[in-house]
Amino acid sequence: MALSQQTLRIVWGEARRLIPTDGADNTKARLQAVIAALATRDSSAAAANFAAPVPLPPVGSPSGAAAAQMVASVESAVEFGQQGGRALPKRAVLWETAKTGEPVETQRSLPPSAAWIKDATAAHTSTFGVDGDATHRIFTLFESDAEPKRGDPAFVSGLTGSGLPSPRRSGHPVSVPWILGIVAGVLFFWMLASLSWTGHSVKQARDLMAGTLPVVTGAYLEKLDAGCKANGNVCNDAFDAGATSPQTDKATYAAATCIKTPESGDSPLHTSAFCQYAWSLALTAANSGNLAGVGTVLSAVLGWPVGISQRTGTLSLAFPMAGLIASIALLGIALGLGTQGNIFGVWISPQKRISLARMQVSLWTVVVLGAYATVALFNSGMLAELIQAAQQNGNRQSLLETLVTFPTMPAAILTALGIAVVSPMVSALIKGDVGSTASDIAIGLADDSQIKDNSGVGRFIDQVKGDGSNLEVRDAPEKASLADLFLGETNDSKNLVDVSRLQNVLITLILVCGYGTLLFDMVRDIAPETLVGALNSSKSLFPTLPSPGAVFTTLLAASHGTYLVSKAAAK
């Protein structure tokens, strides 16, 4: 009787690590036959919740012969309903037991569906050890000829968790990962809104000084004139800004001149104390929310970057960009805690190790996307009105080419992101063949999952290997450690420092931190003349992200190349 691949994989996953304490092959064959029989029963009569199936190792691999022997044995046993001259049971429990034979319930409680093993009614028992278990636990297989109760699983395993009820959810509906995720989302959208508001405030400040907002410009000029009369020292150089006799109201006439881009020399916004005072007053008025008709609370919540920048006289987007980067990182931490119970959970691979490739991709994603969102939202807020006017005026369509809200990515950064994504794909191909022979590889690529995967993408995904691979596979994500970034990935090298991985980690951190510094320098201390000059020329303030140069790309490519070559050489 031929069994389905799903059933065979379930049997292999449940029994592959168990070793009979009596050393008899027949005892192991009995265990496999029991699991196969219960797994093939009608699901309505046996609601077994088996753990995830494990692919059988290919023929020719170290465990290939054992797998082939298991297939032949369980198919024969299921067909005839017996194994070793004894009928197969209708229910079974595999549970850790003490030397006295009593079930051990220190780690997890025995579920009601398996409580019958305490009644000494088992028709047959056999004991097993666990391969690689330093604690030398003993698991006993209890068999029973009685039908399981309706709704109860036919097979329960304290080793793999099969047949055990799902953990009860905490009485608190909001957990720590949820709280972190909500905080990350609020922080992310707050920073986006603040950047858009700040960009729009810059545009309105320039319009106030230019007099293109007649309804509110008058009030602004009155405040400017009153400020000059109250502090004449600040406005003594108003004539230098462009006011000439017989103009008596120097502030009114000089304000518009301050924002004109000179044909040569420095801008008055850089050289004139009066112009700097006029700009500061205009930006404060635009940021107050009065022009938009909103309250002071909303303007304080969204316009805080301008409030901070006014202390230095320049505009800084460093804090909003840091907030965006922090929100993306916080979201990753929340996802890691929620899925793996580890703050570095998004870095944990299917092998339950901290993945170097995942770390690199996430770091570049956090830094580059955080910076990109910063400049894109600021550009959008500052240029939105200009873009709308250009779209409505057919003669100004050429302006749309210079009013770039979403900056371009330098080729070096696109290359860095591409290398960070492609490198783990190539790594997965190499890891998939570690410890295998040429025939193993040929057979492994022709298994059911690969045949069904017509795209071939599945070959680039890390898969949990069975005993036929030398790749280290851990039992739980809790065993993942940051030390994994520097240690080998095979059972032979898991305790040895991999120099190529060490080099890759250090170079990645240097490049990410270096480019992050370059990004922060780009958005810090933006002078008023720079902001006004971009608006006067109808151009984006940030048309592109800064380019780190060709050496950056070369260093990154060399680092990844060295790592992949060393991994292939180890194979």
Side-chain angles (χ1 to χ4, degrees), residues 123-138:
H124 180 72
T125 60
S126 50
T127 56
F128 302 84
V130 181
D131 185 23
D133 183 13
T135 60
H136 305 291
R137 294 174 296 170
I138 296 297

Side-chain angles (χ1 to χ4, degrees), residues 145-238:
D145 295 329
E147 288 283 353
K149 295 180 180 180
R150 185 172 183 179
D152 285 352
F155 180 73
V156 175
S157 173
L159 177 64
T160 63
S162 294
L164 295 177
S166 301
R168 293 184 178 180
R169 307 187 75 175
S170 172
H172 301 284
V174 180
S175 60
V176 173
W178 271 105
I179 294 175
L180 292 179
I182 292 172
V183 171
V186 171
L187 180 61
F188 181 80
F189 288 106
W190 178 27
M191 294 300 104
L192 292 183
S194 297
L195 287 164
S196 180
W197 176 282
T198 302
H200 187 63
S201 296
V202 170
K203 172 64 168 57
Q204 287 191 320
R206 183 257 187 193
D207 291 343
L208 277 176
M209 296 182 67
T212 57
L213 300 175
V215 177
V216 292
T217 297
Y220 159 70
L221 291 176
E222 289 180 3
K223 290 183 179 180
L224 179 59
D225 188 59
C228 284
K229 292 176 181 178
N231 189 356
N233 293 331
V234 174
C235 301
N236 283 340
D237 63 348

Side-chain angles (χ1 to χ4, degrees), residues 91 100-103 110 114-125 140 142-145:
R91 62 177 179 176
T100 60
E102 294 294 323
L110 199 65
W116 58 268
I117 67 175
K118 295 182 177 180
D119 302 333
T121 58
H124 180 72
T125 60
T140 300
F142 299 86
E143 302 179 26
S144 174
D145 295 329

Side-chain angles (χ1 to χ4, degrees), residues 352-366:
K352 305 298 185 293
R353 290 173 49 97
I354 295 292
S355 168
L356 173 59
R358 289 170 178 255
M359 181 272 286
Q360 292 171 322
V361 172
S362 61
L363 285 182
W364 283 114
T365 299
V366 168

Side-chain angles (χ1 to χ4, degrees), residues 433-444:
D433 300 337
V434 172
S436 302
T437 63
S439 60
D440 296 338
I441 300 172
I443 297 173

Side-chain angles (χ1 to χ4, degrees), residues 191-205 283 286-287 302-307 309 315-317 320 377-378 381-382 531:
M191 294 300 104
L192 292 183
S194 297
L195 287 164
S196 180
W197 176 282
T198 302
H200 187 63
S201 296
V202 170
K203 172 64 168 57
Q204 287 191 320
L283 189 57
N287 192 56
L302 299 181
W304 62 274
V306 172
S309 300
L315 181 66
S316 176
L317 305 179
L377 266 293
F378 180 81
M382 190 171 73
L531 297 168

